[in-house]
Structures are given as structure tokens and as C-alpha cells.
Amino acid sequence: MRRLAKARPPANVSPDGQTPRSFADAERAYLAALPSRPETVRFARSEYGRLEKRRLRQVMYSEQGSLCVYCERELCENNGPPHVEHWRPLSRDPQHALHWNNLYLSCPTMDTCDGAKRDRPLKGDDTDPDLPWPIELDYENLVGFTSQGVMCVRDDAHMDEATRRTLELAIDDRQHDGMPQRAILNLNHPTLVAARSAALDSERTRHQRDFENRTATRDEREQRATQLLRREQLPAFVSIRVSWLRGMLGRGR
Ligand SMILES: [Zn+2]
């Protein structure tokens, strides 16, 4: 999970052959009609369903460096295109059903990310605020990793208690008031931990090859981290790679 910058929404979200309509116009028309609709969620689903998702994805790939907004697996149009995900679920927040800042690409896996989250809100319990959108918070500074690829909420990071509680529940199963709670995004699923560990191995191997007879300086490691983060297509699990390059693995654990 990293902070993102949203690009301008698509200038046309109509399917091929239909009159072009911008995302902004679609949202405006939707919000104008919403108060008069008795079944808001059904109306939200129907209006959201009219958007040509391929055109949304085209913009979102570049916003996210073609990585899942949650787990940082690589995304592509082959093998089933990624899901356009409502950060705040449409069924609970129809007001933001067609809101650009609420839409992100998630990998199409069943047991993690949007496949695990479904209609659950990103919050610890109903009284908590929703976890801020990734345009509002530096998530990469709130979560950390172990050298085995396990993700954690850093105990040395500053955040309010509700954010910490929700982030912890997003990543792992928790106990709350003595009751078990299932992880919302399940970001320490064994396949993800193994994949992060493999990404780390590949980064280390490359590093050993490049600096065969000496230790890389801090500046050289930072340079590599910056190079990785500037790529149009980010490498899968870029956060753990950068965390290792910056000497942050295990920090705040
Ligand atoms: Zn994912």
C-alpha cells in the first residue's frame, strides 16, 4: 500500500458506439438524480454499471504503476483484467459510487484484497471513520515488513488509534472485544508473504551482482530505490524492495 496521485478522470466513459460522456459529467448527473431515487444502492449499481471500465482502467494503470492498490501484485489486462474497486463500498456509500478518488484497481484474487473485502468497509468498527483514500495518507510510512515478507503496522509510525486499528484489521485477523474479526484485505495470506519474500530475494540478488566486490553506499541504495519508484510500471511488491534498500526491514515491528 502506497500513497497515490490521481490523474484526471477519463474524458469519455461511454462504451464504443455510444455518445461520448466524461467521467465528471457522469458523476454530476448521478449526484443530481440520487436524492430523488428511493433505492439508492440499486440506482448506484446501475449508473456505475453504465461506465466503460476499460476506459477507467486505462487511466488507473498509470496512477498505480500497474500494481494492485492493496497488495502490490502486478496488474494487466491478460488473465482477467483487474477489478475497479470502490475503496468505500458502493453499497455503504452510494454518494461516492462515481467519485474518482474512491476508485482504484485491485488484483482479481479471491482470498485477498477486494476478493476478501467485498462489501466490508475499511474501518475497525462502525463508529470509526473510513480508512483515508491513498491520495490522503502516506501508507508506505505506516506499514512495514519483516525480512520474511510479513507486513505489519509500524509501532513507531504516528497515526490515530482508529487508523491503526483498521490497518491492523486490514492486514491480519484480529480480536476485538473478545470476538474474532476476519482480516479485511488479508495482506499476510501465505501466498503474499511468499511472493514478497521472493521479490526481496530478487532485489538482493541483483544488488549482489551490481556490487560484487564491495558494499553499496547509502546514496547508491537510495538511488536504486528512487529509480524503482519512478518507473511507469512499478516492480511487483515495490514497497518491501524499497524498505530493504532503505534499511527499514523489521523497523517498528
Ligand atoms: Zn491485490
Side-chain angles (χ1 to χ4, degrees), residues 207-216:
H207 197 80
Q208 281 161 2
R209 194 190 62 217
D210 289 355
F211 299 97
E212 203 175 346
N213 298 315
R214 65 181 179 90
T215 305

Side-chain angles (χ1 to χ4, degrees), residues 86-193:
H86 287 86
W87 186 269
R88 298 183 194 169
L90 179 152
S91 60
R92 293 170 180 267
D93 191 349
Q95 193 75 17
H96 289 102
L98 271 72
H99 188 66
W100 188 236
N101 290 346
N102 196 35
L103 301 179
Y104 299 90
L105 293 178
S106 170
C107 64
T109 49
M110 293 300 293
D111 40 16
T112 71
C113 306
D114 188 47
K117 175 175 171 264
R118 296 171 182 264
D119 282 347
R120 289 177 75 187
L122 280 162
K123 53 172 83 182
D125 64 41
D126 284 343
T127 59
D128 288 340
D130 287 278
L131 206 59
W133 288 314
I135 56 164
E136 297 174 330
L137 202 59
D138 295 322
Y139 282 99
E140 67 273 26
N141 295 329
L142 307 187
V143 299
F145 304 93
T146 69
S147 54
Q148 284 78 44
V150 175
M151 183 190 275
C152 62
V153 182
R154 287 175 52 179
D155 58 22
D156 59 348
H158 295 290
M159 69 192 97
D160 58 60
E161 274 312 303
T163 300
R164 180 174 294 279
R165 195 163 53 236
T166 299
L167 261 180
E168 287 174 346
L169 181 59
I171 295 170
D172 287 310
D173 294 341
R174 310 292 296 184
Q175 290 278 331
H176 186 56
D177 290 339
M179 297 292 289
Q181 289 183 297
R182 194 169 46 82
I184 303 171
L185 301 171
N186 206 13
L187 296 180
N188 276 331
H189 187 282
T191 57
L192 273 176
V193 173

